[in-house]
Amino acid sequence: MKVCIDIGHCPSAPGAENRTYNISEYRFWSTFAPRLANYLRGYGHAAVIVNREMDGNGTGMTACVRTCNEANADVIVALHANAFNGTASGTETLYWHTSPRGKRLAQCIQTQMVKALGLPDRGIKPITGTERGGAQLRGTVAPCVIVEPFFIDNDHDYETALEHADNLCAAIAVGIANY
Ligand SMILES: [Zn+2]
């Protein structure tokens, strides 16, 4: 299986941030995406890392969808982190509401991420419109999920994710391998 690993957001618009640690969604995942790719290759899968701005020359959803589709992958996993009010906590995975394969992929990854981090299990969430990356979930050809393993604006969530980042990458790879 060929896996497209999409690093969410981009250098010029890096997504949600943690002010205490001066870290963004983009920077966190640009650090750890290669580790996820290595785990996937260890399970015998091909892995390609893409980013809308680095590879697609754009910062919006059009470039995001295009770079993901051009990877010609069997599945797409978009790497993000949640943000709300600094205290909300937990792990969730988003999928397109009419995609049974997306739903199955989401559940496989969600189960492993919850085991790896031990944060509250917020479950898998069907997306039905353009909210929360819906344009990516709808516009991609291969089954696609958006992972939000932790709340980046919650210091405890972020510290947990950083401490267990290697386990988190392994967990996402196991989830994909189980799909
Ligand atoms: Zn994001």
Side-chain angles (χ1 to χ4, degrees):
M1 196 162 69
K2 182 178 180 183
V3 181
C4 172
I5 300 168
D6 173 39
I7 301 174
H9 307 278
C10 53
S12 64
E17 294 175 327
N18 180 302
R19 299 280 164 84
T20 309
Y21 291 98
N22 190 29
I23 188 82
S24 64
E25 293 181 73
Y26 175 79
R27 281 196 36 231
F28 180 86
W29 280 119
S30 59
T31 300
F32 291 109
R35 209 174 295 190
L36 169 58
N38 283 341
Y39 276 114
L40 284 165
R41 290 169 190 141
Y43 285 113
H45 299 294
V48 57
I49 298 171
V50 304
N51 177 257
R52 61 184 80 171
E53 187 172 21
M54 304 297 280
D55 303 301
N57 210 22
T59 59
M61 292 312 287
T62 303
C64 177
V65 169
R66 190 176 63 238
T67 53
C68 287
N69 282 336
E70 283 174 359
N72 274 316
D74 299 296
V75 296
I76 301 161
V77 56
L79 304 174
H80 285 261
N82 227 326
F84 185 50
N85 61 358
T87 56
S89 171
T91 300
E92 59 189 42
T93 305
L94 316 179
Y95 66 95
W96 186 245
H97 67 119
T98 59
S99 172
R101 291 182 300 170
K103 183 177 184 180
R104 191 168 83 239
L105 179 62
Q107 189 60 67
C108 287
I109 296 174
Q110 174 73 8
T111 300
Q112 298 303 321
M113 291 196 303
V114 168
K115 270 195 228 169
L117 296 184
L119 294 174
D121 183 358
R122 300 170 66 93
I124 61 171
K125 301 277 167 68
I127 300 299
T128 62
T130 54
E131 77 281 5
R132 304 193 67 187
Q136 179 180 17
L137 296 172
R138 188 189 58 221
T140 41
V141 176
C144 180
V145 300
I146 293 171
V147 298
E148 314 240 41
F150 62 99
F151 279 73
I152 198 167
D153 64 343
N154 175 323
D155 286 355
H156 174 261
D157 265 33
Y158 173 68
E159 289 158 4
T160 302
L162 188 61
E163 185 184 351
H164 300 287
D166 193 59
N167 288 340
L168 174 60
C169 292
I172 295 171
V174 170
I176 294 169
N178 287 347
Y179 162 74

